[in-house]
């Protein structure tokens, strides 16, 4: 396979000219050129972007989000095929992580849009074959990706072969998924190939071999939360922070409530864990075991807490070193290009030889590298916390905690720590103050490793001492008792004095470089400037010699085994900090928290469950409630007055389910959660002017998305069973069909934004269809009380309502003497349909609508014709007409559900084995007695029907004889 050719003419990285050069040879069959013709770079508005002339990356006006605060800057390459299978590759420009994904998506690319919103990329790479297609339109129509830059590159550069070779070359550890499913993941590998080429040629970066952490993230072990769920449930933001967009920061959201992380790596891991919760039961159980163990071992918790608080941002430090190594390799490449393309051999001979590695003195004229020394000190500080954490986890019992400890015991980390201790002074640590960091960095290398370095340090110390002596002489000479010697990163050493002790007019003539400030005056003198120049020369030489000593150290860090160990260390610290945050949340929560029990096919059962975020809001009243959802109670229709807490209740269930899938404790007395694969929601929203959509139009789009995400309906069950029977005949008897993945659906008041009859009809049809979907558990809030009739024809539907108490008070009555109704919301859920169907005028009265208007409304309501859908009984009597066969089927279904409820109650309430056995025997006797009575009734019916039939035969025979005689 051909390799891309590299031109000697350098253009600013990321500029439009560079992209055009990258796309200049698109028409050639082999994708081996470094550029493509007619490249098109588009912004969110669809206009062509202008060329960028500076080497710094320019933004496109994207809003600052929590993702930006996490300092992630992803560049994402995306490609799809005609059957809507999507391949994705993402690289963090500020890190060393490459993430691959491949999944099947819908025609609207819901999964892709959600993944891109979670990553919040700064640039999206698309194939030129996607230009103007459905993929580009889906990205362009998403309001969350409106300002993200889109760049189109030639389709031949999406080459899976090149992507596979790049992964083998750049990854420092094998990827199991790519090894096992390499040919099946061709789209993600093709995206990886295009992304790596784009970063190398357009961003002008060179990746050292085995320097990246490449991994494939499958979607099968992730609980999918669409954008509607992220916004409606207020996972990482609420309605007060830019409409709850993913990534927006807020004080009242789930992420804020459980975020007690100490490190930046842990904060990033926790955010991903909340936005993309795990749905693998084994992984969740391992996390819960760690949280439970640390909750019961306070010394271990406090030791790990102390160590993690001192742990620096190791990923950022490694990214800085990666950038420095990239600059060195780019310099070597440029010098090699100059030698190759030099026009004069004589000039080539006169050129200086390649300076080589960092320790060759190539940075003699460079300014002091404070960032490099600070990065090394950060790595030193990170490695020094490992022994303390290993000692704390010495007696760990949970498998995940032992795995974390095993990654910290890597010999490569201990060898690197020993080498750093031989080079760096043990008393030196990173400092956030630039001036102090400059001095600490000058003395960071151990004394005695380099004689010249020690001489220059001594000379620098003498210059500093001379400047202090000069300051004392100047103070005495001009009688300035408050004169001080200050150090600034740019000005160097200078004099400073408070403005109240010296007026500008009284400055002596020997002072120069006077900087008049409101509070402090800064100035210098000729003698101080000469000493400062000598100090700067000594400091520059110290930094040069220090970089010589750090050359071997940086070379050791970029060894493959060390990079692999450091990457594992970053992952271990991230997950450990996240789980330690869960441990902190449990006692910090004002309500009771419990470890949820997760099952593959069990129910969702919560007892005295609280809303996770509302319990910490001052003045917010929170009331615990119970929830039970399974196949016998698959759909709960929840009614209630306005502001009674219907949306609050279903959001509580959704948030607790998300918390349980992350491995965190949940605010409840007891909790049992089914492992879910998707949470689909539809919450009340407003109009969307940017998309020209009304409220009802958005409702229908959300409902359509829910139906596309859940599984086959009752109308397709018979056809699916036939297909399964046909498939099972072709397979062995030992193979079993995979069950439908479980889905939790939360719907809040569908049909409220259109006419009453249309809204009720749509809401009833939607609820009826969701109740028939397999492995779909639904919470459905509504103001249509007539929907409760669905429970009379479907045994899997239950009716609940929020209790509200009304009381009349004449103390606050108006001038006419009419009583003012006061409504008290208890926020308590009770079974059954809401008994009061007339509460709209009461809510309007509480809002302050004039009483005359409300009286007119009541009078108009009395004059309107009777609504036959106002109550479940009226709707059932007027519209739902069942024949004899339907009634028999409904009676059998209700009896089956009753037996299932009896068995569940026996299992839940009976702790004694003998008592459970007695109840089961009683149930068995009842079933036998019912079966006996049914058989006797059938025999009696058969006898009566036989007797009737014989009489009919005899009568027919007699009639036949009479007819024959008459004929004869």
């Amino acid at each position: 396979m051909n390799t891309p050719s590299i031109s000697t003419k350098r253009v600013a990285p990321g500029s439009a000219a560079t992209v055009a050069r990258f796309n200049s040879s698109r028409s050639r069959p082999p994708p081996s050129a470094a550029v493509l013709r007619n490249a098109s770079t588009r912004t969110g508005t669809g206009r062509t972007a202008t060329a960028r002339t500076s080497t710094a990356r320019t933004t496109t006006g994207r809003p600052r989000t929590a993702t930006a605060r996490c300092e992630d800057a992803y560049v994402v390459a995306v490609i799809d095929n005609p059957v809507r299978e999507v391949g994705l590759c993402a690289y963090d420009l500020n890190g060393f992580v490459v993430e691959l994904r491949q999944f099947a998506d819908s025609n609207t690319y819901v999964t892709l849009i959600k993944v891109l919103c979670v990553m919040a990329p700064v640039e999206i790479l698309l194939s030129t074959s996607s230009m103007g297609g459905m993929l580009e339109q889906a990205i362009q129509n998403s309001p969350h990706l409106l300002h993200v830059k889109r760049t189109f590159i030639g389709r031949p550069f999406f080459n899976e072969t090149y992507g596979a070779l790049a992964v083998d070359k750049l990854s420092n550890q094998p990827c199991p998924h790519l090894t096992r499913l390499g040919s099946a993941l061709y789209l993600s590998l093709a995206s990886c190939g295009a992304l790596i080429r784009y970063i190398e040629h357009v961003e002008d970066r060179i990746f050292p071999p085995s320097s990246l952490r490449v991994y494939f993230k499958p979607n099968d072990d992730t609980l999918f939360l669409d954008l509607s769920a992220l916004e409606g449930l207020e996972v990482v933001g609420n309605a007060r922070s830019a409409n709850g967009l993913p990534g927006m920061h807020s004080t009242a959201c789930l992420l804020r409530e459980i975020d007690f992380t100490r490190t930046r790596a842990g904060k990033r891991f926790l955010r991903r864990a909340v936005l993309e919760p795990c749905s693998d039961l084994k992984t969740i159980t391992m996390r819960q075991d760690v949280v439970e163990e640390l909750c019961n071992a306070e010394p271990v918790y406090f030791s790990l807490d102390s160590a993690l608080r001192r742990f620096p941002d190791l990923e950022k430090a490694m990214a800085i070193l990666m950038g420095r190594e990239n600059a060195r390799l780019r310099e070597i490449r440029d010098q090699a290009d100059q030698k190759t393309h030099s026009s004069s051999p004589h000039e080539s001979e006169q050129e200086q030889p390649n300076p080589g590695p960092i320790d060759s003195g190539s940075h003699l004229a460079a300014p002091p590298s404070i960032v490099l020394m600070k990065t090394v000190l950060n790595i030193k500080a990170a490695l020094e916390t490992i022994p303390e954490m290993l000692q704390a986890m010495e007696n760990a019992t949970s498998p995940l905690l032992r795995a974390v400890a095993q990654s910290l015991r890597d010999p490569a980390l201990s060898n690197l720590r020993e080498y750093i201790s031989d080079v760096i002074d043990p008393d030196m640590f990173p400092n956030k103050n630039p001036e102090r960091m400059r001095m600490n960095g000058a003395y960071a290398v151990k004394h005695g490793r380099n004689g010249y370095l020690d001489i220059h340090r001594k000379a620098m110390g003498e210059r500093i001492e001379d400047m202090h002596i000069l300051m004392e002489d100047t103070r005495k000479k001009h009688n300035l008792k408050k004169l001080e010697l200050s150090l600034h990163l740019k000005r160097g050493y200078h004099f400073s004095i408070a403005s109240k002790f010296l007026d500008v007019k009284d400055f002596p003539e020997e002072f120069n470089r006077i900087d008049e400030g409101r509070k402090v005056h800064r100035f210098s003198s000729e003698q101080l400037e000469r000493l400062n120049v000598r100090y700067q020369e000594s400091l520059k030489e110290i930094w040069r010699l220090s970089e010589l000593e750090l050359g071997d150290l940086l070379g050791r860090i970029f060894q493959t085994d060390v990079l692999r160990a450091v990457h594992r260390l970053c992952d271990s610290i991230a997950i450990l900090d996240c789980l330690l945050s869960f441990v902190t949340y449990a006692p910090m929560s004002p309500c009771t928290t419990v470890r949820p029990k997760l099952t593959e096919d069990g129910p969702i059962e919560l007892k005295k469950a609280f809303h996770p975020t509302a319990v910490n809001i001052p003045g917010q009243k929170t009331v615990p409630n119970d929830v039970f959802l399974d196949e016998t109670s698959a759909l709960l229709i929840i009614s209630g007055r306005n502001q009674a807490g219907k949306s609050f209740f279903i959001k509580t269930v959704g948030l607790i389910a998300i918390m349980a899938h992350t491995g965190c404790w949940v605010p409840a007395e007891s909790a049992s959660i089914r492992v879910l694969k998707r949470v689909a929601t539809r919450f009340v929203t407003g109009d969307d002017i940017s998309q020209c959509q009304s409220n009802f139009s958005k409702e229908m789009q959300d409902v359509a998305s829910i139906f596309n995400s859940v599984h086959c309906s009752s109308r397709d069950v018979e056809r699916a069973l036939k297909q399964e029977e046909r498939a099972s005949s072709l397979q062995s008897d030992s193979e079993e069909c995979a069950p439908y993945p479980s889905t939790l659906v939360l719907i809040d008041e569908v049909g409220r934004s259109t006419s009453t009859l249309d809204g009720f009809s749509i809401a009833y049809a939607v609820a009826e269809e969701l109740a028939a979907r397999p492995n779909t558990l639904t919470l459905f809030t509504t103001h249509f009380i007539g929907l409760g009739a669905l429970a009379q024809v479907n045994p899997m539907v239950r009716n609940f309502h929020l209790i509200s108490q009304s009381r009349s008070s004449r103390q606050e009555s108006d001038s006419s003497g009419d009583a003012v109704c006061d409504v008290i919301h208890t926020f308590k859920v009770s079974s059954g349909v809401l008994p009061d169907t007339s509460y709209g005028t009461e809510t309007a009265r509480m809002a302050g609508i004039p009483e005359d208007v409300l009286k007119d409304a009541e009078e108009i309501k009395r004059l309107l014709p009777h609504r036959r859908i106002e109550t479940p009984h009226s709707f059932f009597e007027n519209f739902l007409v069942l024949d004899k066969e339907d009634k028999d089927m409904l009676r059998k279904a209700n009896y089956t559900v009753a037996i299932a409820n009896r068995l569940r109650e026996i299992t839940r309430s009976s702790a004694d084995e003998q008592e459970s056995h007695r109840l089961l025997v009683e149930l068995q006797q009842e079933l036998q007695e019912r079966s006996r009575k049914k058989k006797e009734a059938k025999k009696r019916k058969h006898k009566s029907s036989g007797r009737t039939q014989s009489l009919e035969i005899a009568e027919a025979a007699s009639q036949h004889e009479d007819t024959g005689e008459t004929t004869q």
Side-chain angles (χ1 to χ4, degrees):
M1 185 180 63
N2 297 330
T3 57
S5 60
I6 301 177
S7 175
T8 57
K9 183 180 179 181
R10 299 298 171 193
V11 190
S15 63
T18 311
V19 180
R21 286 199 315 109
F22 181 70
N23 254 339
S24 62
S25 60
R26 182 180 43 155
S27 59
R28 284 185 284 182
S32 59
V35 289
L36 266 178
R37 280 197 301 266
N38 302 325
S40 175
T41 303
R42 297 186 180 180
T43 59
T45 57
R47 293 189 296 267
T48 303
T50 57
R52 291 172 290 177
T53 56
S54 63
T55 57
R57 294 184 56 83
T58 59
T59 61
T60 57
R62 192 179 185 279
R64 298 291 296 174
T65 64
T67 305
R69 283 192 293 272
C70 288
E71 300 179 0
D72 293 335
Y74 282 103
V75 176
V76 180
V78 182
I79 192 172
D80 66 338
N81 59 15
V83 296
R84 299 295 180 265
E85 192 175 5
V86 179
L88 180 146
C89 180
Y91 170 69
D92 185 8
L93 294 174
N94 296 332
F96 45 83
V97 179
V98 175
E99 179 178 335
L100 302 177
R101 292 195 183 192
Q102 184 167 323
F103 47 85
D105 211 342
S106 62
N107 291 332
T108 56
Y109 296 93
V110 177
T111 305
L112 174 63
I113 298 302
K114 188 260 180 176
V115 171
L116 291 178
C117 290
V118 171
M119 292 182 176
V122 296
E123 187 173 4
I124 300 176
L125 306 180
L126 298 172
S127 170
T128 51
S129 60
S130 302
M131 189 179 301
M134 297 180 63
L135 177 59
E136 185 197 1
Q137 292 178 5
I139 296 175
Q140 185 173 355
N141 293 335
S142 174
H144 312 293
L145 305 173
L146 187 61
H147 300 285
V148 179
K149 176 186 173 185
R150 298 188 302 277
T151 302
F152 292 86
I153 59 179
R155 178 62 179 85
F157 281 85
F158 286 86
N159 189 309
E160 63 271 18
T161 303
Y162 185 85
L165 294 176
V167 169
D168 293 338
K169 175 184 176 182
L170 301 179
S171 178
N172 55 24
Q173 55 187 355
C175 183
H177 289 87
L178 295 178
T179 304
R180 187 174 67 255
L181 304 172
S183 58
L185 304 178
Y186 68 99
L187 288 176
S188 60
L189 291 175
S191 300
C192 179
L195 179 65
I196 294 299
R197 287 191 174 188
Y198 182 83
I199 295 296
E200 288 180 343
H201 299 137
V202 178
E203 297 295 332
D204 202 16
R205 295 196 179 193
I206 300 178
F207 298 107
S210 303
S211 60
L212 299 179
R213 185 178 62 195
V214 183
Y215 70 95
F216 178 82
K217 183 176 178 61
N219 278 12
D220 297 338
D221 58 352
T222 301
L223 171 59
F224 183 79
L225 303 172
D226 56 9
L227 296 180
S228 176
L230 295 177
E231 295 178 5
L233 295 177
E234 300 177 346
V235 177
V236 292
N238 61 16
R240 294 177 297 173
S241 59
N243 295 327
L245 297 180
M248 296 303 292
H249 180 71
S250 174
T251 57
C253 64
L254 178 61
L255 180 60
R256 177 76 179 208
E257 293 299 326
I258 64 176
D259 187 5
F260 296 93
T261 53
R262 291 90 176 157
T263 64
R264 291 184 178 269
K267 191 178 294 294
R268 288 189 286 262
F269 185 88
L270 176 60
R271 183 178 180 275
R272 273 295 186 93
V274 171
L275 290 174
E276 296 180 329
C278 178
S279 63
D280 181 64
L281 181 58
K282 183 179 179 181
T283 303
I284 300 173
T285 305
M286 292 174 63
R287 293 181 183 179
Q288 290 180 335
D289 293 340
V290 174
V291 176
E292 185 174 6
E293 180 178 353
L294 294 179
C295 285
N296 298 327
E298 291 186 1
V300 178
Y301 166 79
F302 286 111
S303 298
L304 294 176
D305 176 77
S306 175
L308 288 177
R309 290 186 184 278
R310 304 192 310 269
F311 196 90
D313 191 357
L314 186 58
E315 291 185 359
K316 182 179 179 180
M318 294 300 298
I320 293 174
L321 295 184
M322 185 77 69
R324 184 179 179 85
E325 182 69 9
N326 178 39
R328 187 182 70 86
L329 294 176
R330 190 166 57 243
E331 182 181 355
I332 295 175
R333 182 199 60 189
D334 293 343
Q335 293 181 0
D337 291 344
Q338 291 177 3
K339 288 182 179 180
T340 303
H341 300 280
S342 177
S343 57
S344 173
H346 182 68
E347 292 178 0
S348 300
E349 294 177 0
Q350 292 180 352
E351 290 181 357
Q352 296 295 329
N354 179 20
I358 293 176
D359 57 350
S360 64
S362 60
H363 299 278
L364 177 62
S369 181
I370 301 178
V371 176
L372 174 62
M373 186 60 69
K374 186 177 181 179
T375 302
V376 174
L377 293 179
N378 280 327
I379 296 176
K380 169 180 171 292
L383 297 177
E384 287 180 351
T385 60
I386 293 180
E388 183 179 353
M389 289 188 285
L390 287 176
Q391 185 179 1
M393 295 184 290
E394 184 177 2
N395 299 322
T397 58
S398 59
L400 182 57
L401 207 57
R402 291 202 304 266
V404 170
Q406 185 64 27
S407 65
L408 299 184
R409 294 191 186 97
D410 196 306
L413 295 178
S414 57
N415 295 336
L416 181 62
R417 184 173 65 251
E418 292 177 359
Y419 189 83
I420 290 178
S421 62
D422 293 339
V423 177
I424 304 299
D425 192 287
D427 297 330
M428 293 298 169
F429 293 95
N431 198 303
K432 295 182 179 180
N433 190 328
E435 290 84 2
R436 294 182 180 179
M437 186 61 225
R438 193 173 189 179
M439 294 301 299
N440 291 347
Y443 291 91
V445 178
K446 267 188 174 182
H447 180 77
R449 285 192 60 89
N450 191 314
Y452 292 103
L453 181 61
D454 297 338
I455 292 175
H456 285 286
R457 284 175 179 171
K458 183 178 179 180
M460 185 184 68
E462 293 176 352
R463 300 291 84 77
I464 295 175
E465 185 177 356
D466 293 341
M467 285 186 283
H468 280 279
I469 296 174
L470 177 62
M471 185 266 296
E472 293 292 339
D473 296 341
T474 306
R475 181 184 296 176
K476 295 177 181 179
K477 179 179 179 181
H478 300 284
N479 195 21
L480 299 174
K481 297 181 179 180
K482 301 296 181 178
L483 185 66
E484 295 180 356
L485 184 66
S486 303
L487 176 63
H488 190 266
L489 189 62
K490 295 182 179 180
R491 294 175 62 95
Y493 279 97
H494 59 279
F495 296 133
S496 63
I497 190 172
S499 57
K500 61 182 179 179
F501 298 114
L502 181 62
D503 191 78
V504 181
K505 300 178 181 179
D506 300 333
F507 267 97
E509 295 181 357
E510 61 181 274
F511 293 158
N512 54 18
R513 297 180 59 192
I514 300 175
D515 183 10
E516 303 176 8
R518 181 178 300 179
K519 296 182 179 181
V520 179
H521 296 319
R522 305 179 187 276
F523 50 92
S524 182
S525 64
E526 294 183 2
Q527 190 174 0
L528 180 61
E529 287 184 358
R530 287 195 296 267
L531 293 174
N532 204 6
V533 169
R534 296 178 184 176
Y535 158 77
Q536 294 288 350
E537 292 175 353
S538 300
L539 184 62
K540 182 183 294 185
E541 192 67 19
I542 289 173
W543 280 108
R544 187 187 70 82
L545 296 174
S546 297
E547 288 188 0
L548 291 177
E549 297 296 328
L550 295 179
D552 293 338
L553 175 60
L554 298 181
R556 285 177 177 266
I557 292 176
F558 280 98
Q559 292 179 358
T560 303
D561 57 339
V562 176
L563 282 177
R564 186 184 302 114
V566 172
H567 293 172
R568 290 177 179 174
L569 174 62
C570 294
D571 294 340
S572 301
I573 293 300
I575 190 171
L576 181 62
D577 191 16
C578 177
L579 297 180
L580 217 64
S581 177
F582 294 160
V583 178
T584 309
Y585 166 76
M588 293 288 290
S589 178
C591 56
T592 304
T593 57
V594 67
R595 173 178 177 171
K597 178 183 178 182
L598 279 93
T599 57
E600 291 287 354
D601 53 358
I604 296 180
E605 184 178 10
L606 304 176
K607 288 186 177 181
K608 295 184 178 180
F610 288 87
H611 193 283
T613 62
V615 293
N616 289 325
I617 299 178
Q620 180 72 42
K621 181 182 179 181
T622 55
V623 177
N625 281 296
D626 299 342
V627 184
F628 185 84
L629 284 166
D630 70 346
E631 278 69 19
T632 62
S633 302
L635 188 142
L636 305 185
I637 297 178
I638 304 163
S639 56
R641 293 173 176 265
N642 302 98
Q643 298 181 348
K646 301 185 297 297
S647 304
F648 191 83
F649 171 68
I650 65 175
K651 287 181 180 180
T652 301
V653 179
L655 289 175
I656 288 180
I658 294 174
M659 294 177 65
H661 283 75
T662 61
C664 182
W665 269 209
V666 298
E669 189 176 279
S670 65
S672 177
I673 306 293
R674 176 184 297 187
V675 176
L676 304 171
K677 291 297 183 181
R678 188 182 184 99
V679 174
T681 65
R682 198 283 131 189
F683 288 99
V684 179
T685 56
D687 299 338
D688 190 351
I689 299 177
S690 62
Q691 300 295 327
C692 298
Q693 291 180 345
S694 65
N695 192 3
F696 184 70
S697 176
K698 294 184 65 178
E699 282 186 20
M700 295 301 99
Q701 286 188 359
D702 291 343
V703 172
S705 177
I706 291 175
F707 281 128
N708 291 331
S709 63
V710 297
H711 317 289
C712 65
S713 63
S714 58
R715 303 181 181 90
D716 301 327
V717 169
E718 185 177 355
R719 183 176 59 184
L721 290 176
K722 291 181 179 179
Q723 292 177 356
E724 289 182 4
E725 291 177 359
R726 191 180 302 110
S728 61
S729 63
L730 301 176
Q731 297 177 353
S732 61
D733 297 336
S734 59
E735 296 180 353
E736 297 182 358
C737 297
Y740 292 110
S742 299
T743 303
L744 177 63
V745 180
L746 307 176
I747 295 183
D748 187 19
E749 301 182 15
V750 167
R752 56 175 289 172
S753 302
T754 186
S755 64
T756 304
L757 291 178
D758 288 345
F760 177 84
S761 303
I762 294 173
Y764 190 94
V766 169
E768 186 179 27
E769 182 67 18
L770 288 175
R773 300 267 172 144
N775 277 8
T776 301
L777 308 178
T778 307
L779 294 173
F780 197 104
T781 68
T782 184
H783 283 292
F784 298 122
I785 309 301
L787 285 182
L790 186 60
Q792 302 181 29
V793 296
N794 194 327
M796 296 185 297
V797 179
R798 297 286 185 271
N799 284 318
F800 290 88
H801 69 277
L802 273 298
I803 302 175
S804 298
Q805 299 175 357
S806 302
R807 65 183 181 184
S808 297
S809 174
R810 292 189 177 274
Q811 297 178 0
E812 299 178 359
S813 61
D814 55 6
S815 59
S816 62
D818 295 333
V820 178
C821 184
D822 186 15
V823 179
I824 301 176
H825 300 300
T826 63
F827 303 102
K828 196 68 180 176
V829 177
S830 178
S831 60
V833 183
L834 184 68
D836 185 11
T837 61
S838 178
Y839 49 82
T841 54
E842 297 176 5
T843 304
R845 182 177 288 109
M846 295 173 59
I849 301 296
E851 193 65 27
D852 295 339
V853 178
L854 297 178
K855 288 181 180 180
D856 293 340
E858 291 287 350
E859 184 66 23
I860 295 172
K861 181 179 179 181
R862 284 193 292 268
L863 296 176
L864 288 175
H866 178 65
R867 294 284 186 178
R868 292 182 292 174
I869 62 174
E870 197 171 36
T871 63
H873 178 72
S874 61
F875 179 73
F876 184 82
E877 293 295 332
N878 291 307
F879 293 97
L880 299 180
V881 181
L882 304 179
D883 56 12
K884 185 177 181 300
E885 184 180 357
D886 292 337
K887 290 181 179 179
D888 292 339
M889 292 180 60
L890 180 61
R891 185 171 60 254
K892 292 179 181 179
N894 289 330
Y895 181 71
T896 304
V897 172
I899 295 299
N901 291 334
R902 285 279 301 277
L903 291 173
R904 185 176 69 247
E905 291 296 331
I906 291 173
T907 305
R908 293 168 55 190
S909 60
S910 301
D912 189 6
E913 185 176 353
Q914 296 181 355
E915 180 68 15
S916 300
H917 184 266
R918 185 183 65 81
L919 294 175
L920 290 174
V921 170
E922 292 180 359
L923 180 60
Q924 184 180 12
Q925 292 175 356
E926 291 180 9
L927 294 175
Q928 291 175 354
E929 182 67 19
R930 179 183 174 87
S931 179
R932 185 183 62 81
K933 292 181 179 180
K934 189 175 181 181
K935 289 180 180 179
E936 291 178 355
K938 184 181 261 188
K939 288 180 181 179
R940 289 194 300 269
K941 184 178 180 181
H942 181 68
K943 287 181 181 179
S944 62
S945 64
R947 187 180 301 112
T948 303
Q949 185 177 6
S950 62
L951 291 175
E952 291 177 353
I953 293 173
E955 185 178 359
S958 62
Q959 290 179 359
H960 179 69
E961 292 177 357
D962 295 341
T963 304
E965 293 176 357
T966 304
T967 304
Q968 186 178 2

